[in-house]
Amino acid sequence: MYKALDKLNDRQREAVLATEGPVLVLAGAGSGKTTVLVNRIAYMISEKKINPWNILAITFTNKAANEMKTRIERLLGDEAADIWAGTFHSVCAKILRSCIDFLGYGRDFLIYDTADSRTVLKECMRELNIDEKSFPPRNVLSIISNAKNDLMDPATFENTYRSDYRMSIISRIYYRYQTKLYNNNAVDFDDIIFCTVKILSENPDVLMRYQSRFRYILVDEYQDTNNSQYMLINLLAQGSRNLCIVGDDDQSIYKFRGANIGNILNFEDDFPDMKKITLDRNYRSTQNILDAANAVIAHNRGRLGKELWTAKGEGGKVITFTGANEYDEARYVANEVKKYYEENGVFGDCAVLFRTNAQSRVIEEVMMREHIPYKVLSGLRFYERKEIKDIIAYLRFIHNPKDDVSLARIINEPKRKIGNATLDRAREIAAVNELPLYEVVSHADNYPEFKTAIKKLLDFSKMIESLRKIKDAVPLHELTERVLNDTGYMPALVLENTTESKTRIENLGEFMSVIAEFEKESEEATLAEFLEGISLISDLDGYDENEDAVVLMTIHSAKGLEFPVVFLTGMEEGLFPGIRSINSEDDIEEERRLCYVAITRAKDTLHITKAIRRTVHGKTNIELPSRFFEEIPTEYLDDRTKVFPQFAEAVRASGFGDIVTTNKNRYLKSEKKSVSAAEFLSFKEGDTVEHRSFGRGTVLKATPAGNDCILEIDFESVGFKRLMAAFAKLKKVK
């Protein structure tokens, strides 16, 4: 008998044993879903004698996939190596290596990251003479990405939006963009899944092969799947129907990436005979924290329904604080962090969460002033640094000389006096003669148009060819060393001899360490395998949980993490939930799920903070408490504003009372008014008003506050403003 079953609770044990048929494991935050997945796989192999290679386990991040593999290896040893476990993208990339030729691509295809995709897109727009100001590339790329996630190829996209002027122009860009990718033998991130689904849908023999291979499929974080991922899983699962999805509808927070919460909510429609198992025992947080989370998420209508509980005990109440402004809020956070450090001797237990990256600036300033070590989990990552992207581009081009994007990046790096004019001329010749760009560069002596650039181009191609000759004959680390030296890249940095160049040399040294580690872990350690691996690395894969520093991060980035102490900052209407969400019930529900995720990151202590006034984009506004804050019953809250006299005095000076009160009359005490309170309270949603400075606007929301009214107004000239009726001197426009 599988002994590990004894360590599981009843619901977890049930989920492990239910190996046949469709199963939905509704796993609440901190309920041990990874434990269930790992033990389920180990049980299937050790007790049910299921072949490891017949099991497919899909997660959303490399970190989660690696953790799963490591834990399975501890239980099973070498047998774990034959399990297909990885992210959607890594699994699909592996499938495509064996069958992408069905779509006309070569099996040595490249995967373009976001920066590469944007480069190609801009090139397409230049060729089509489309203005980037009218069609921002980032926005166009997002629309194309959404189309691919919805499995719309350029022809379908064109047909769908034929009558829409703007989208019809984007359709032209989409056509050109996809053609360039194809000519470069490259795919973008969305293509990885799109192409896999297309091949499986159009080739029954290929589909049958993988259905036979994957007899048992497990999918983690199913609530975050988009339409193409949903289709992929359904195609593969229709063979054996042994599909186990694990997820939490209350933690679906990636709608902006195309995630469709309906995939988990409607799972029973696809598999009417499915078995549902709810994991509602939380092993992470105290009961007071869970009660606060339960109270907030209960206001959502679109959910399957569950309530988290724990055996950890009640714990302390959720601590709340109101600052007069964002600096007061940041000082409170810093003081509490220092206090925790004095008592526990560690900074890394603390995490500061915020809805938007812009909120981190003030917190960072105060942390620096107070000499508190911190790290922001965002910004420039290792693989985004110029020198790293340059060397990767060299390796990619050596691997695939059809890669025009990499060629454009490296042809004059380091400086070879091959300018943009020469490169543009080469592009024109390639387009006219329907040749790959490198074919033109490597035969520059056939084109007198290059004039004095002929020798430079030929020297470059000779250098590339010498490296291509050895790419399969020497170890990867030796090839990379040759690239660094033979291209002149490293000598140029050494000759520069500046602080910046020394830092870049250090980073390249770290890159060599990455390759050494890769060679140690991979049996074949091929260039193709290495390039594919680094293409699929996510931002959070480099997060070191053992580094002793306060972590500053957005709530989205915090998904899947946990901390003993969490500060949830900026709990104000218009900020969390964001102003763009307040007119859509679906968006509000997604924001509420995000709040639920934030609350459940805390293990022992949760601080919720907000400010009365906050300066955003140079404008200072009066803020109301977030509706999510007000959804937490006061019996779970402990207001600490009064513990800090200097902050409390600032709050009183602002006219605001106790943060915990539900009495709206105490939010603001208006000064003597020149007109009656009844007139202030007469404003309502939809009113057209006139302001002496901001001009005409429409009232979006009117919230009574004592004898006054807080108005949220969308002005035609300056956009959104939050004003007090008593001081705004507004006139209603009849």
Side-chain angles (χ1 to χ4, degrees):
M1 184 64 183
Y2 184 64
K3 295 181 180 179
L5 290 175
D6 297 336
K7 299 178 182 178
L8 306 178
N9 66 40
D10 292 344
R11 298 277 182 83
Q12 291 175 329
R13 193 178 303 114
E14 183 183 3
V16 168
L17 296 175
T19 58
E20 308 302 311
V23 178
L24 163 59
V25 179
L26 191 62
S31 61
K33 66 181 177 64
T34 304
T35 297
V36 167
L37 282 169
V38 168
N39 281 282
R40 182 184 170 91
I41 293 171
Y43 174 78
M44 287 193 294
I45 295 172
S46 63
E47 293 295 318
K48 302 276 290 186
K49 305 305 178 185
I50 295 166
N51 295 321
W53 53 86
N54 290 142
I55 298 173
L56 171 64
I58 299 181
T59 66
F60 267 82
T61 67
N62 290 304
K63 182 181 177 183
N66 291 334
E67 181 183 351
M68 183 185 296
K69 289 177 187 175
T70 301
R71 290 173 64 171
I72 294 172
E73 284 172 7
R74 288 198 206 108
L75 293 171
L76 298 178
D78 293 340
E79 282 187 291
D82 292 325
I83 300 167
W84 273 46
T87 64
F88 274 99
H89 288 96
S90 65
V91 166
C92 286
K94 197 171 181 180
I95 291 174
L96 289 178
R97 290 294 173 198
S98 70
C99 59
I100 198 171
D101 45 331
F102 278 84
L103 300 179
Y105 290 85
R107 294 189 181 185
D108 60 346
F109 66 90
L110 290 173
I111 300 171
Y112 279 0
D113 62 17
T114 304
D116 297 323
S117 298
R118 195 174 298 131
T119 299
V120 174
L121 189 86
K122 288 182 176 180
E123 193 174 299
C124 294
M125 292 177 67
R126 280 198 302 272
E127 292 173 359
L128 293 169
N129 200 26
I130 296 173
D131 182 21
E132 289 188 13
K133 292 181 180 178
S134 302
F135 292 84
R138 187 185 299 271
N139 177 254
V140 173
L141 205 56
S142 175
I143 291 171
I144 292 174
S145 173
N146 290 337
K148 291 182 179 182
N149 288 337
D150 287 334
L151 301 173
M152 297 172 67
D153 60 16
T156 307
F157 188 88
E158 179 187 34
N159 191 50
T160 302
Y161 295 107
R162 193 179 300 279
S163 60
D164 185 312
Y165 172 74
R166 182 175 179 80
M167 295 296 270
S168 64
I169 292 178
I170 293 175
S171 172
R172 292 169 55 208
I173 301 172
Y174 187 6
Y175 265 112
R176 180 68 63 95
Y177 171 74
Q178 211 57 31
T179 300
K180 276 192 179 291
L181 290 182
Y182 182 83
N183 290 340
N184 288 355
N185 197 33
V187 296
D188 63 19
F189 256 51
D190 300 303
D191 282 328
I192 295 174
I193 300 175
F194 180 92
C195 290
T196 306
V197 171
K198 185 174 177 63
I199 291 170
L200 295 178
S201 301
E202 297 177 353
N203 299 276
D205 54 332
V206 178
L207 176 60
M208 192 177 300
R209 185 204 318 167
Y210 283 102
Q211 285 179 340
S212 299
R213 173 69 186 264
F214 304 131
R215 303 292 299 168
Y216 294 84
I217 301 173
L218 302 89
V219 185
D220 193 12
E221 305 286 9
Y222 193 74
Q223 77 280 351
D224 293 332
T225 53
N226 61 31
N227 294 336
S228 61
Q229 291 162 343
Y230 162 82
M231 182 62 71
L232 173 74
I233 295 302
N234 267 25
L235 283 168
L236 293 174
Q238 288 304 326
S240 66
R241 300 185 83 256
N242 295 323
L243 171 62
C244 175
I245 67 164
V246 182
D248 183 3
D249 54 319
D250 290 334
Q251 295 189 75
S252 179
I253 60 173
Y254 295 116
K255 182 181 176 184
F256 67 96
R257 291 184 188 168
N260 184 353
I261 191 174
N263 293 345
I264 190 169
L265 294 179
N266 302 321
F267 184 68
E268 188 172 4
D269 294 342
D270 295 323
F271 298 92
D273 57 333
M274 70 99 180
K275 182 173 185 176
K276 176 182 166 186
I277 301 167
T278 302
L279 305 182
D280 53 8
R281 179 178 177 179
N282 178 283
Y283 290 88
R284 175 188 300 154
S285 308
T286 60
Q287 192 61 52
N288 267 322
I289 292 172
L290 296 180
D291 286 341
N294 288 333
V296 171
I297 202 63
H299 287 77
N300 271 9
R301 297 177 182 177
R303 60 191 296 257
L304 296 171
K306 67 180 175 308
E307 192 161 296
L308 297 179
W309 64 279
T310 184
K312 280 186 68 174
E314 190 175 81
K317 291 186 176 183
V318 175
I319 300 168
T320 61
F321 175 81
T322 303
N325 54 41
E326 63 268 36
Y327 283 94
D328 276 356
E329 179 188 44
R331 282 191 286 269
Y332 168 79
V333 171
N335 284 342
E336 289 297 303
V337 167
K338 289 170 71 175
K339 186 189 300 182
Y340 183 86
Y341 179 77
E342 290 167 1
E343 294 174 357
N344 300 279
V346 63
F347 287 109
D349 284 353
C350 301
V352 183
L353 308 184
F354 31 78
R355 179 64 184 86
T356 65
N357 276 308
Q359 291 170 249
S360 76
R361 182 186 61 82
V362 173
I363 298 170
E364 287 189 68
E365 285 182 13
V366 174
M367 291 284 185
M368 285 188 284
R369 198 175 302 135
E370 297 295 327
H371 305 292
I372 297 173
Y374 73 91
K375 54 188 174 184
V376 182
L377 216 59
S378 63
L380 195 62
R381 294 285 163 210
F382 180 77
Y383 290 99
E384 295 171 352
R385 293 179 174 130
K386 179 185 181 303
E387 60 276 14
I388 303 303
K389 289 185 75 69
D390 286 345
I391 297 308
I392 289 174
Y394 268 111
L395 292 173
R396 284 166 51 164
F397 188 71
I398 289 165
H399 174 62
N400 175 16
K402 291 183 180 180
D403 181 10
D404 290 355
V405 172
S406 293
L407 174 58
R409 184 179 185 95
I410 64 175
I411 197 167
N412 198 40
E413 192 63 54
K415 302 300 181 188
R416 299 187 177 92
K417 296 184 179 179
I418 302 175
N420 290 332
T422 299
L423 189 58
D424 288 341
R425 197 171 298 125
R427 286 194 180 108
E428 290 170 7
I429 294 170
V432 169
N433 294 280
E434 297 183 347
L435 293 171
L437 183 58
Y438 183 59
E439 183 73 15
V440 174
V441 169
S442 60
H443 295 86
D445 50 346
N446 292 340
Y447 305 99
E449 299 97 316
F450 287 124
K451 300 177 182 176
T452 57
I454 291 176
K455 184 178 185 306
K456 298 166 192 168
L457 293 173
L458 292 178
D459 286 346
F460 172 80
S461 66
K462 286 176 186 175
M463 179 264 296
I464 291 295
E465 289 306 313
S466 68
L467 291 169
R468 280 182 52 76
K469 285 178 183 177
I470 65 168
K471 77 180 180 75
D472 297 320
V474 300
L476 183 56
H477 74 273
E478 186 176 329
L479 173 64
T480 309
E481 287 172 354
R482 287 282 301 271
V483 168
L484 287 169
N485 290 297
D486 292 6
T487 62
Y489 198 93
M490 185 64 80
L493 289 177
V494 172
L495 190 63
E496 185 179 326
N497 195 31
T498 62
T499 301
E500 183 180 0
S501 68
K502 290 176 182 176
T503 301
R504 289 182 172 178
I505 291 170
E506 289 174 2
N507 290 336
L508 290 169
E510 182 63 21
F511 185 71
M512 293 303 299
S513 299
V514 171
I515 290 177
E517 190 67 23
F518 169 74
E519 289 180 319
K520 190 187 301 180
E521 294 179 356
S522 175
E523 291 182 7
E524 296 182 2
T526 64
L527 176 58
E529 188 183 355
F530 176 72
L531 292 173
E532 180 177 303
I534 59 175
S535 294
L536 299 174
I537 290 173
S538 73
D539 280 350
L540 293 178
D541 289 336
Y543 169 45
D544 182 2
E545 294 175 345
N546 298 316
E547 185 181 346
D548 189 26
V550 179
V551 179
L552 277 58
M553 63 201 307
T554 64
I555 302 168
H556 280 101
S557 297
K559 177 87 162 30
L561 303 178
E562 59 183 41
F563 303 90
V565 182
V566 169
F567 296 85
L568 176 52
T569 62
M571 283 291 280
E572 301 138 27
E573 282 289 300
L575 188 58
F576 193 22
I579 191 63
R580 295 179 182 176
S581 304
I582 60 176
N583 293 321
S584 165
E585 189 58 36
D586 285 346
D587 289 347
I588 286 294
E589 293 215 348
E590 171 121 345
E591 291 279 291
R592 188 176 281 112
R593 291 193 293 269
L594 190 59
C595 183
Y596 175 83
V597 166
I599 292 172
T600 54
R601 298 311 93 197
K603 297 169 69 175
D604 304 314
T605 307
L606 173 64
H607 299 256
I608 295 180
T609 66
K610 64 185 185 67
I612 293 165
R613 287 187 174 88
R614 187 177 297 273
T615 302
V616 180
H617 303 307
K619 297 175 182 176
T620 302
N621 297 315
I622 294 175
E623 309 294 344
L624 280 176
S626 166
R627 69 188 70 191
F628 305 146
F629 173 80
E630 295 188 328
E631 289 167 358
I632 303 175
T634 56
E635 59 260 34
Y636 304 138
L637 304 178
D638 175 15
D639 179 32
R640 293 289 180 86
T641 307
K642 57 184 177 292
V643 177
F644 297 87
Q646 70 273 33
F647 300 150
E649 180 56 38
V651 172
R652 284 194 292 275
S654 300
F656 277 63
D658 190 350
I659 187 175
V660 178
T661 182
T662 56
N663 181 356
K664 292 282 175 50
N665 292 339
R666 299 183 64 190
Y667 280 156
L668 188 138
K669 300 174 183 177
S670 300
E671 296 179 2
K672 185 177 180 181
K673 305 171 184 63
S674 57
V675 293
S676 69
E679 184 174 336
F680 301 142
L681 297 174
S682 69
F683 289 104
K684 62 183 183 302
E685 182 180 341
D687 282 348
T688 301
V689 295
E690 189 88 31
H691 186 275
R692 61 183 178 182
S693 299
F694 304 144
R696 184 166 294 197
T698 302
V699 176
L700 301 177
K701 188 176 181 181
T703 305
N707 291 324
D708 204 343
C709 189
I710 300 175
L711 302 175
E712 297 177 14
I713 304 171
D714 183 15
F715 287 100
E716 294 173 1
S717 59
V718 296
F720 177 81
K721 292 284 183 181
R722 186 179 289 113
L723 305 171
M724 301 307 301
F727 303 105
K729 297 183 179 178
L730 295 164
K731 292 181 180 179
K732 283 189 181 181
V733 179
K734 297 181 180 179

